[in-house]
Amino acid sequence: MREQKNIFYNIDWITVCLFLALVLFGWMNIYAAVYNDEHKNIFDFSQSYGKQLIWIACAIILSLIIMMIDVKFFPAFSYFIFVLVLVLLVAVLIMGSATAGSKSWFQIGDFKLQPSEFAKFATNLAIAKYLSASNIKIQDIKTKLVTFLILGLPVLLIILQNDTGSALVYIAFVFVLYREGLSGNVLIIGFLVIVLFFLSLLINKFLVIGVIAGIALLLFVYIRKRRKEITMLVGLFILTAGFVFSVDYVYENVLEQHQKDRIDVLLGKATDLRGVGYNVNQSKIAIGSGGFLGKGFLEGTQTKFNFVPEQSTDFIFCTIGEEWGFTGSTIVIILYVWLFIRIIMMAERQRSSYGRIYGYGVASILFFHFLINIAMTIGLAPVIGIPLPFISYGGSSLWAFTILLFVFVKQDANRLLLL
Amino acid sequence: MKAPFNDRKYVINIIIFSIGAIFLCRLFYIQIIDNSYKLSANNNALRSITEFPARGLIYDRNGKLLVYNEATYDLMVIPQHVKDLDTAELCKLIGIDKEIFKSRMEKAKSYSYYAPSIFEREISKETYGFLQEKLYKLQGFYVQARTLRKYPLSIAAHTLGYIGEVSQGLIENDNYYKPGDYIGISGIEKSYENELRGKKGVKIMMFDVFNREKGSFRNGMYDTVSVAGIDLTTAIDADLQAYGEALMKNKRGSIVAIEPATGEILALVSSPSYDPNLLAGHDRSKNYIKLLQDIKQKPLYNRALMAQYPPGSTFKILNALAGQQLGVLKEDSRFPCSLGFHMGNINVKCHNHPSPCNLEQSIQYSCNSYYVYAFKAILEKSGYKKTSDAYNKWLDIVMSFGFGKKFYSDIPNELTGNIPTPEYYDKLHGKNRWHALTIYSLGIGQGEILVTPLQLANFTAILANRGYYFIPHIVKKIGKTKGINKKYTTKQTVKVDSKYFDIVIEGMDDVVESGTGTGAKIKKIEMAGKTGTAQNPHGEDHSIFILFAPLKNPKIAISVVVENGGWGATWAVPIASLMVEKYLNKKVDRVDLEKRMLEGSVKY
């Protein structure tokens, strides 16, 4: 086996181009979101867009470094990196500085580092490493337990940081596990759980139960000959009913006030546009006012005058929607979907399970961010503060996503060299 | 190497595509179909700031300022932006109590949650000073500059009129006006509203989330510049107007003075009047209600244009002219008078004077009997078989003098007066059942006939011009160059030939020299006048005098009505005479008479 000298050898240029397009378009919108007449210079490093320019430069350097590192490095050091990040997650709980209620940052001078962003990458390495081992079958209980442990450790630490949004991202691994053989029922059940949760909050619980009972009855008529399945059906019904009734308890006792508020806003139960509903309302106004072609670069009045909070980070999509309109939003969504599909295609062409699993992890993590972030800005999901990959302002997230992606690009470039 | 569960990639791809599609549908809905977000965005960040132009100034004929503007401030509120308000402090600042605060806030909210409305209007300069310092604390409030009308001489209230908040009905019909705008409500403020108001400008400004101004929207692409109103020069002579108002103090009635050669109104006095400053500024509505409720004095009522009186003996002049025109009166036509006219059960009293009079004397002595005969002759001997035809001929002449109709002049609210039509008498007495002696009182200016002081003054101007007039008007010049409406410079000729005027004017000259109006005499000024006494069934008769001077090349024609003034000679004659003296000589020498008139009052 011969290592290629040229670091761009066999590289997937489509992925690289999609990555660059998103990063650059993201930077333009950060510039627009922060823009004001006094600070026009794009190299003004006191402004977010100036800083982001540095983060982007660093990210590109990072990607080049990754392309130069031996392709076997990351598979070999997967667990090591995972443990290292776990240590960082613990450390941040002790030494980190708190912003906006989350204790998830290391403050080093002017520079802030958020280990939880890197934890996704590290977890993905660990999962890929574990599941690609030759004797591992996902159907085994033991495998499931270990996988759950690998996922659970960072999730637990991140929840302790009070950063629920970032913890939720780990749900994305369901897609990876599904691809590797986890029962498809998991996806269906997951989907049903979400639907039932919101349904129970939105309409009368007995009505929900009634509908479920109706469905169960129809199924019963259909399968009445098979005793075993009837038992299962009854069990499922009891479980479902129990879940529906537990929703209230979860809502009242497990969720925190701001989480409840966000759910209320999504469901239209809270209409206080000055209070809890403010973000989402302003976000929708910004995007909605963009129209077909948008208001034009730097012409967005909503974002420019800070009507939308967090507009360069979590609500960056508002700026895109307002200034570039439906056209720009569509292009961004197409770029993302194309990137995800491309990564999955690349994952499928890997010769090693490690490469495939890792690739699926990349696609899943990115997709989950995309799903939650955009759904939140257009009022389809409750407000969950996670960034839009490659576009949102922030060094840690940009670097973490870049590393996540380029480790896979490197794997893919060298897929033929690996057995 | 082919992994198991290979086809699961399709499921995952489908999920990704579906989410993408859902997002696109949602974006299509909120960005293209639903327009409410666009509106919200504009309401959020854009605010149109109205720039109110300075209203046009108003000058008198000599360039004296009658109306100017003073800066004032309105406190505006945008309910949407009101946050963490220290209500007590705001109330203290503008001097209102909590209840008023609440009700105003409710009113503003019910008008619009997003658009600004006036919270407190016309804040004094002092309050503005305090307010300015605290404004940063009052989120949702801002101050808008406005102008306030000021009347330095405090005269001519009725003529100048006043401005007030535009009515709801007008807002709906005229999209120039927005709630809270001012509009001329009466006087020339109303009739020259379009010239005076100028053009409002709109500046679209951007505001950030903290309600801080962030400059002009799209570099002012949608802004319009305000254009100041046009200044007006009126025909009013401020000194004469002020003098007239002083003379009419404690009397009810009016003075109208016209320059005969142009139809320009030199003075338009209606008494009782009010200080025009009362109807401008902060206490306008309070003062307005006070003036409106003064039923006894009716200060808002413009008697010069709206009061209608029987013209009394002044009307004899018109009959003298009409009679000549219709060929029934000559200079030497004489009619008997034995202390009045007596025929059948008709008795018209007259005072003691040489009899029978010729035409000139009939005016000098204001002989009642003469004009009953003269009117009888007009209706019976002017060559028409039917009384109504002769009457129509007479009516035609009378109307040509501007009686019985409006001038449609530039001072709003004039009334027509009343000259009865033949149809009216047909209805009253039956068709062809009326004749000269049924309606004889028209001959001496009594009966159904009613004229306004403005019509009387214009009549006097016609006499001065010997047969024509220009529609009486207040405004002389619009702006620096623009002339006034052509109709004011078009000569209106009456239907009596100019040659018939001389004898009548001689008679009017005699009135002043040695007749019923000798009190009007002024040294070295020859003039022509006629007294009148309008019968008043409700009390003392109204005193009327018309006068023009000088006799040759007249400069001023004037009508004076003093309600319940009794004989013309008592009040109306001296007042008219003093006005003429003031106007022609620029000073008054007859100090005693002046003092008597200034201090005198008529009991009501």
Side-chain angles (χ1 to χ4, degrees), chain B residues 21-89:
Chain B
I22 290 170
F23 283 179
L24 289 183
C25 292
R26 174 70 174 175
L27 284 166
F28 187 79
Y29 178 74
I30 67 172
Q31 293 190 302
I32 293 171
I33 295 176
D34 192 342
N35 269 323
S36 64
Y37 294 112
K38 290 176 192 71
L39 268 176
S40 302
N42 287 347
N43 288 332
N44 251 343
L46 303 183
R47 202 177 307 153
S48 31
I49 307 264
T50 309
E51 283 195 312
F52 290 96
R55 205 172 164 85
L57 306 180
I58 302 177
Y59 297 97
D60 91 330
R61 63 189 297 114
N62 302 314
K64 266 193 192 156
L65 196 55
L66 296 178
V67 187
Y68 71 101
N69 302 307
E70 205 177 69
T72 180
Y73 306 91
D74 288 347
L75 182 65
M76 312 292 290
V77 64
I78 299 175
Q80 181 197 19
H81 294 142
V82 175
K83 220 172 20 185
D84 312 326
L85 179 68
D86 186 346
T87 315
E89 180 159 27

Coordinates of all heavy atoms in Angstrom, one line a residue, chain B residues 21-89:
Chain B
A21 N -38.0 19.2 1.6 CA -39.2 19.6 0.9 C -40.2 20.4 1.9 O -40.8 21.4 1.5 CB -39.9 18.4 0.3
I22 N -40.3 19.8 3.1 CA -41.1 20.5 4.1 C -40.6 21.9 4.4 O -41.4 22.9 4.4 CB -41.1 19.7 5.4 CG1 -41.9 18.4 5.2 CG2 -41.8 20.5 6.6 CD1 -41.8 17.4 6.4
F23 N -39.3 22.1 4.5 CA -38.8 23.4 4.7 C -39.1 24.4 3.6 O -39.5 25.5 3.8 CB -37.3 23.4 4.9 CG -36.8 22.9 6.3 CD1 -35.5 22.7 6.6 CD2 -37.8 22.6 7.2 CE1 -35.1 22.3 7.8 CE2 -37.4 22.1 8.5 CZ -36.1 22.0 8.8
L24 N -39.0 23.8 2.3 CA -39.3 24.7 1.2 C -40.7 25.1 1.1 O -41.0 26.3 0.8 CB -38.9 24.0 -0.1 CG -37.3 23.8 -0.3 CD1 -37.0 23.2 -1.7 CD2 -36.6 25.2 -0.2
C25 N -41.6 24.2 1.5 CA -43.0 24.5 1.5 C -43.3 25.6 2.5 O -44.0 26.6 2.3 CB -43.9 23.3 1.8 SG -43.8 22.1 0.5
R26 N -42.7 25.4 3.7 CA -43.0 26.3 4.8 C -42.4 27.7 4.4 O -43.1 28.7 4.6 CB -42.3 25.8 6.0 CG -42.3 26.8 7.2 CD -43.7 26.9 7.8 NE -43.6 27.7 9.0 CZ -44.7 28.1 9.7 NH1 -45.9 27.7 9.3 NH2 -44.6 28.8 10.8
L27 N -41.2 27.7 3.8 CA -40.6 29.0 3.4 C -41.5 29.7 2.3 O -41.7 30.9 2.3 CB -39.2 28.8 2.9 CG -38.2 28.5 4.0 CD1 -36.9 28.0 3.4 CD2 -37.9 29.8 4.8
F28 N -42.0 28.8 1.4 CA -42.8 29.4 0.3 C -44.0 30.0 1.0 O -44.5 31.1 0.6 CB -43.3 28.2 -0.6 CG -44.0 28.7 -1.8 CD1 -43.3 29.2 -2.9 CD2 -45.4 28.6 -1.9 CE1 -44.0 29.7 -4.0 CE2 -46.1 29.1 -3.0 CZ -45.4 29.6 -4.1
Y29 N -44.6 29.4 2.0 CA -45.8 30.0 2.6 C -45.4 31.3 3.3 O -46.1 32.3 3.1 CB -46.4 29.0 3.6 CG -47.5 29.5 4.4 CD1 -48.8 29.6 3.7 CD2 -47.4 30.0 5.7 CE1 -49.8 30.2 4.4 CE2 -48.5 30.5 6.3 CZ -49.7 30.6 5.7 OH -50.8 31.2 6.3
I30 N -44.4 31.3 4.2 CA -44.2 32.5 5.0 C -43.6 33.6 4.1 O -43.7 34.8 4.4 CB -43.5 32.3 6.3 CG1 -42.1 31.9 6.1 CG2 -44.2 31.3 7.2 CD1 -41.3 31.9 7.4
Q31 N -42.8 33.2 3.1 CA -42.1 34.3 2.4 C -43.0 34.8 1.2 O -42.8 35.9 0.8 CB -40.8 33.8 1.9 CG -39.8 33.5 3.0 CD -38.4 33.3 2.5 OE1 -38.2 32.4 1.7 NE2 -37.5 34.1 3.0
I32 N -43.8 34.0 0.6 CA -44.5 34.4 -0.6 C -46.0 34.5 -0.4 O -46.6 35.5 -0.8 CB -44.1 33.5 -1.8 CG1 -42.6 33.7 -2.1 CG2 -44.9 33.8 -3.0 CD1 -42.0 32.7 -3.0
I33 N -46.6 33.5 0.2 CA -48.0 33.6 0.3 C -48.5 34.6 1.4 O -49.3 35.4 1.2 CB -48.6 32.2 0.5 CG1 -48.3 31.3 -0.7 CG2 -50.1 32.2 0.8 CD1 -48.7 29.9 -0.6
D34 N -48.0 34.4 2.6 CA -48.4 35.2 3.7 C -47.8 36.6 3.7 O -46.6 36.7 3.9 CB -48.1 34.4 5.0 CG -48.9 35.1 6.2 OD1 -49.3 36.2 6.1 OD2 -49.0 34.4 7.2
N35 N -48.6 37.6 3.5 CA -48.0 39.0 3.5 C -47.9 39.6 4.8 O -47.3 40.7 4.9 CB -48.8 39.8 2.6 CG -48.3 39.8 1.1 OD1 -47.1 39.7 0.9 ND2 -49.2 39.8 0.2
S36 N -48.5 39.0 5.9 CA -48.5 39.7 7.1 C -47.1 40.0 7.7 O -46.9 40.9 8.4 CB -49.4 38.9 8.1 OG -48.7 37.7 8.4
Y37 N -46.2 39.1 7.4 CA -44.8 39.2 7.9 C -44.1 40.5 7.4 O -43.4 41.1 8.0 CB -44.0 38.0 7.6 CG -44.5 36.8 8.3 CD1 -45.1 35.7 7.7 CD2 -44.4 36.7 9.7 CE1 -45.6 34.6 8.3 CE2 -44.9 35.6 10.4 CZ -45.5 34.6 9.7 OH -45.9 33.5 10.4
K38 N -44.4 40.8 6.1 CA -43.8 42.0 5.5 C -44.3 43.2 6.2 O -43.5 44.1 6.5 CB -44.2 42.0 4.0 CG -43.5 40.9 3.2 CD -43.9 40.9 1.8 CE -43.4 39.7 1.1 NZ -44.1 38.5 1.5
L39 N -45.6 43.3 6.5 CA -46.1 44.4 7.2 C -45.5 44.6 8.5 O -45.1 45.6 8.9 CB -47.6 44.2 7.4 CG -48.5 44.8 6.3 CD1 -49.9 44.5 6.5 CD2 -48.3 46.3 6.2
S40 N -45.4 43.4 9.2 CA -44.8 43.4 10.6 C -43.4 44.0 10.5 O -43.0 44.7 11.4 CB -44.8 42.0 11.2 OG -46.1 41.6 11.2
A41 N -42.7 43.6 9.5 CA -41.3 44.0 9.4 C -41.2 45.5 9.2 O -40.4 46.2 9.9 CB -40.6 43.3 8.2
N42 N -42.1 46.0 8.4 CA -42.1 47.5 8.2 C -42.5 48.2 9.5 O -41.9 49.2 9.9 CB -43.0 47.9 7.1 CG -42.5 47.5 5.8 OD1 -41.3 47.2 5.7 ND2 -43.3 47.6 4.7
N43 N -43.5 47.6 10.2 CA -43.9 48.3 11.4 C -42.8 48.2 12.5 O -42.6 49.1 13.3 CB -45.1 47.6 12.0 CG -46.3 47.9 11.1 OD1 -46.4 49.0 10.5 ND2 -47.3 47.0 11.1
N44 N -42.0 47.1 12.4 CA -40.9 47.0 13.3 C -39.9 48.0 13.2 O -39.5 48.7 14.1 CB -40.3 45.6 13.0 CG -40.6 44.6 14.1 OD1 -41.0 45.0 15.2 ND2 -40.3 43.4 13.8
A45 N -39.4 48.1 11.9 CA -38.1 48.8 11.7 C -38.3 50.2 11.1 O -37.5 51.0 11.2 CB -37.2 48.0 10.9
L46 N -39.4 50.3 10.4 CA -39.6 51.6 9.6 C -40.6 52.4 10.3 O -41.6 51.9 10.7 CB -40.0 51.3 8.2 CG -39.0 50.4 7.4 CD1 -39.5 50.3 6.0 CD2 -37.6 51.0 7.4
R47 N -40.4 53.7 10.3 CA -41.4 54.6 10.8 C -41.4 55.8 9.9 O -40.4 56.4 9.7 CB -41.1 55.0 12.2 CG -42.3 55.4 13.0 CD -41.9 55.7 14.4 NE -41.2 54.6 15.1 CZ -40.4 54.8 16.1 NH1 -40.1 56.0 16.5 NH2 -39.8 53.8 16.6
S48 N -42.6 56.2 9.5 CA -42.6 57.4 8.7 C -42.8 58.6 9.6 O -43.7 58.6 10.4 CB -43.6 57.4 7.6 OG -44.7 56.6 8.0
I49 N -41.9 59.5 9.5 CA -41.9 60.7 10.3 C -42.5 61.8 9.4 O -41.9 62.1 8.4 CB -40.5 61.1 10.7 CG1 -39.8 59.9 11.4 CG2 -40.5 62.3 11.6 CD1 -39.9 59.8 12.8
T50 N -43.6 62.3 9.8 CA -44.2 63.4 9.0 C -43.5 64.7 9.3 O -43.3 65.0 10.5 CB -45.7 63.5 9.3 OG1 -46.2 62.2 9.2 CG2 -46.3 64.4 8.4
E51 N -43.1 65.4 8.3 CA -42.5 66.7 8.5 C -43.6 67.7 8.2 O -44.1 67.8 7.0 CB -41.4 66.9 7.5 CG -40.1 66.2 8.0 CD -38.9 66.7 7.2 OE1 -39.0 66.8 6.0 OE2 -37.9 67.1 7.9
F52 N -44.1 68.4 9.2 CA -45.1 69.4 8.9 C -44.5 70.7 8.4 O -43.7 71.2 9.1 CB -45.9 69.6 10.2 CG -46.7 68.4 10.6 CD1 -46.3 67.5 11.5 CD2 -48.0 68.2 10.0 CE1 -47.0 66.4 11.8 CE2 -48.7 67.1 10.3 CZ -48.3 66.2 11.2
P53 N -45.0 71.1 7.3 CA -44.4 72.4 6.8 C -45.0 73.5 7.6 O -46.0 73.4 8.2 CB -45.0 72.4 5.3 CG -46.2 71.6 5.4 CD -46.0 70.6 6.5
A54 N -44.3 74.7 7.5 CA -44.8 75.9 8.2 C -46.0 76.3 7.4 O -45.9 76.4 6.2 CB -43.7 76.9 8.3
R55 N -47.1 76.6 8.1 CA -48.2 77.1 7.4 C -47.9 78.5 6.9 O -47.2 79.3 7.5 CB -49.4 77.1 8.4 CG -50.8 77.0 7.7 CD -51.9 76.8 8.8 NE -53.1 77.1 8.2 CZ -53.9 76.3 7.5 NH1 -53.4 75.1 7.3 NH2 -55.0 76.6 7.0
G56 N -48.6 78.9 5.8 CA -48.3 80.2 5.2 C -48.7 81.4 6.2 O -49.6 81.3 7.0
L57 N -47.9 82.4 6.1 CA -48.2 83.6 6.9 C -49.2 84.5 6.3 O -49.5 84.4 5.1 CB -46.9 84.4 7.1 CG -45.7 83.7 7.6 CD1 -44.5 84.6 7.7 CD2 -45.9 83.0 8.9
I58 N -49.9 85.3 7.1 CA -50.9 86.2 6.5 C -50.6 87.6 6.9 O -50.3 87.9 8.1 CB -52.3 85.8 7.1 CG1 -52.6 84.3 6.7 CG2 -53.4 86.7 6.5 CD1 -53.9 83.8 7.2
Y59 N -50.5 88.5 5.9 CA -50.2 89.9 6.1 C -51.4 90.8 5.8 O -52.3 90.4 5.1 CB -49.1 90.3 5.1 CG -47.8 89.6 5.4 CD1 -47.4 88.5 4.6 CD2 -46.9 90.0 6.3 CE1 -46.2 87.8 4.8 CE2 -45.7 89.4 6.6 CZ -45.4 88.3 5.8 OH -44.2 87.6 6.0
D60 N -51.3 92.0 6.3 CA -52.4 92.9 5.9 C -51.9 93.7 4.6 O -50.8 93.4 4.1 CB -52.7 93.9 7.0 CG -51.8 95.2 7.0 OD1 -50.7 95.1 6.5 OD2 -52.3 96.2 7.5
R61 N -52.7 94.6 4.1 CA -52.4 95.2 2.8 C -51.1 96.0 2.9 O -50.5 96.3 1.8 CB -53.6 96.1 2.3 CG -53.9 97.3 3.2 CD -55.2 97.9 2.7 NE -55.1 98.5 1.4 CZ -55.8 98.0 0.4 NH1 -56.6 97.0 0.5 NH2 -55.7 98.6 -0.8
N62 N -50.7 96.4 4.1 CA -49.4 97.2 4.2 C -48.3 96.4 4.6 O -47.2 96.9 5.0 CB -49.7 98.4 5.1 CG -50.8 99.3 4.6 OD1 -50.9 99.6 3.5 ND2 -51.7 99.6 5.5
G63 N -48.4 95.1 4.6 CA -47.3 94.2 5.0 C -47.2 94.0 6.5 O -46.2 93.4 6.9
K64 N -48.2 94.4 7.2 CA -48.2 94.1 8.6 C -48.5 92.6 8.9 O -49.5 92.1 8.2 CB -49.2 95.0 9.4 CG -48.5 96.2 9.9 CD -49.5 96.9 10.9 CE -48.9 98.3 11.2 NZ -50.0 99.2 11.6
L65 N -47.8 92.0 9.8 CA -48.1 90.6 10.0 C -49.3 90.4 10.8 O -49.5 90.9 11.9 CB -46.9 90.0 10.7 CG -46.7 88.5 10.8 CD1 -46.7 87.9 9.4 CD2 -45.5 88.1 11.5
L66 N -50.3 89.6 10.3 CA -51.5 89.3 11.0 C -51.4 87.9 11.7 O -52.0 87.7 12.7 CB -52.7 89.3 10.0 CG -53.0 90.7 9.4 CD1 -54.2 90.5 8.5 CD2 -53.3 91.7 10.5
V67 N -50.8 86.9 10.9 CA -50.7 85.6 11.5 C -49.3 85.0 11.2 O -48.8 85.1 10.1 CB -51.8 84.6 10.8 CG1 -51.8 83.3 11.5 CG2 -53.1 85.2 10.8
Y68 N -48.7 84.4 12.2 CA -47.5 83.8 12.0 C -47.5 82.5 12.8 O -48.5 82.1 13.4 CB -46.3 84.7 12.4 CG -46.1 84.9 13.9 CD1 -45.2 84.2 14.7 CD2 -46.9 85.8 14.6 CE1 -45.1 84.4 16.0 CE2 -46.8 86.1 15.9 CZ -45.9 85.4 16.6 OH -45.7 85.6 18.0
N69 N -46.4 81.7 12.7 CA -46.3 80.4 13.4 C -45.3 80.4 14.5 O -44.3 81.1 14.4 CB -45.8 79.4 12.4 CG -46.7 79.3 11.2 OD1 -48.0 79.1 11.3 ND2 -46.2 79.4 10.0
E70 N -45.7 79.7 15.5 CA -44.7 79.6 16.6 C -44.5 78.1 16.8 O -45.4 77.3 16.6 CB -45.3 80.1 17.9 CG -44.3 80.6 18.9 CD -45.0 81.2 20.1 OE1 -45.6 80.5 20.8 OE2 -44.8 82.4 20.2
A71 N -43.2 77.7 17.1 CA -42.9 76.3 17.2 C -43.6 75.7 18.5 O -43.7 76.4 19.5 CB -41.4 76.1 17.4
T72 N -44.2 74.6 18.3 CA -44.7 73.9 19.4 C -44.4 72.4 19.3 O -43.9 72.0 18.2 CB -46.2 74.1 19.6 OG1 -46.7 73.4 20.7 CG2 -47.0 73.7 18.3
Y73 N -44.7 71.6 20.3 CA -44.4 70.2 20.2 C -45.5 69.3 20.6 O -46.2 69.6 21.6 CB -43.2 69.9 21.1 CG -42.0 70.9 20.8 CD1 -41.9 72.1 21.4 CD2 -41.1 70.5 19.8 CE1 -40.8 72.9 21.1 CE2 -40.1 71.4 19.5 CZ -39.9 72.6 20.2 OH -38.9 73.4 19.8
D74 N -45.7 68.3 19.9 CA -46.7 67.2 20.2 C -45.9 66.0 20.8 O -44.9 65.6 20.2 CB -47.5 66.8 19.0 CG -48.4 67.9 18.6 OD1 -48.6 68.8 19.4 OD2 -49.0 67.8 17.5
L75 N -46.4 65.5 21.9 CA -45.8 64.3 22.4 C -46.5 63.1 21.7 O -47.7 63.0 21.8 CB -45.9 64.2 23.9 CG -45.3 63.0 24.6 CD1 -43.8 63.0 24.4 CD2 -45.7 62.9 26.0
M76 N -45.7 62.3 21.0 CA -46.3 61.2 20.3 C -46.1 59.9 21.0 O -45.1 59.8 21.7 CB -45.7 61.1 18.9 CG -45.6 62.4 18.1 SD -47.3 63.0 17.7 CE -47.7 61.8 16.4
V77 N -47.0 58.9 20.8 CA -46.7 57.6 21.4 C -47.0 56.5 20.4 O -47.8 56.6 19.5 CB -47.7 57.4 22.7 CG1 -49.1 57.4 22.3 CG2 -47.3 56.2 23.4
I78 N -46.1 55.5 20.5 CA -46.3 54.3 19.7 C -46.6 53.2 20.7 O -45.6 52.7 21.3 CB -45.1 54.0 18.8 CG1 -44.9 55.1 17.8 CG2 -45.4 52.7 18.0 CD1 -43.7 55.0 17.0
P79 N -47.8 52.8 20.9 CA -48.1 51.8 22.0 C -47.2 50.6 22.0 O -46.8 50.1 23.0 CB -49.6 51.5 21.8 CG -50.1 52.6 21.0 CD -49.0 53.2 20.2
Q80 N -46.9 50.1 20.8 CA -46.1 48.9 20.6 C -44.8 49.0 21.3 O -44.3 48.0 21.9 CB -45.9 48.6 19.1 CG -45.1 47.4 18.8 CD -44.6 47.4 17.4 OE1 -44.5 48.4 16.8 NE2 -44.2 46.2 16.9
H81 N -44.2 50.2 21.3 CA -42.9 50.4 21.8 C -42.8 50.8 23.3 O -41.8 50.9 23.8 CB -42.1 51.4 21.0 CG -41.9 51.0 19.6 ND1 -42.0 51.8 18.5 CD2 -41.6 49.7 19.1 CE1 -41.7 51.1 17.4 NE2 -41.5 49.9 17.7
V82 N -44.0 51.0 23.9 CA -44.0 51.5 25.3 C -43.6 50.3 26.2 O -44.1 49.2 26.1 CB -45.4 52.0 25.7 CG1 -45.4 52.3 27.1 CG2 -45.7 53.2 24.8
K83 N -42.5 50.6 26.9 CA -41.9 49.5 27.7 C -41.4 50.1 29.0 O -40.9 51.2 29.0 CB -40.8 48.8 27.0 CG -40.8 47.3 27.2 CD -39.9 46.5 26.3 CE -38.7 47.1 25.7 NZ -38.0 46.1 24.8
D84 N -41.6 49.4 30.1 CA -41.1 49.8 31.4 C -41.3 51.3 31.7 O -40.4 52.1 32.0 CB -39.6 49.6 31.5 CG -39.3 48.2 31.1 OD1 -40.1 47.3 31.3 OD2 -38.2 48.0 30.5
L85 N -42.6 51.8 31.5 CA -42.8 53.2 31.6 C -43.0 53.6 33.0 O -43.8 53.0 33.7 CB -44.1 53.6 30.7 CG -44.5 55.0 30.7 CD1 -43.4 55.9 30.0 CD2 -45.8 55.2 30.1
D86 N -42.4 54.7 33.4 CA -42.6 55.3 34.7 C -43.8 56.2 34.5 O -43.7 57.4 34.3 CB -41.4 56.1 35.2 CG -41.6 56.6 36.6 OD1 -42.7 56.6 37.1 OD2 -40.6 56.9 37.2
T87 N -45.0 55.7 34.7 CA -46.2 56.4 34.4 C -46.3 57.7 35.3 O -46.7 58.8 34.8 CB -47.5 55.6 34.7 OG1 -47.2 54.3 34.2 CG2 -48.7 56.1 34.1
A88 N -46.0 57.5 36.5 CA -46.1 58.7 37.4 C -45.2 59.8 37.0 O -45.7 61.0 37.0 CB -45.7 58.3 38.8
E89 N -44.0 59.5 36.5 CA -43.1 60.6 36.1 C -43.7 61.3 34.9 O -43.7 62.5 34.8 CB -41.7 60.0 35.8 CG -40.8 61.1 35.3 CD -39.3 60.7 35.5 OE1 -39.1 59.5 35.5 OE2 -38.5 61.6 35.7

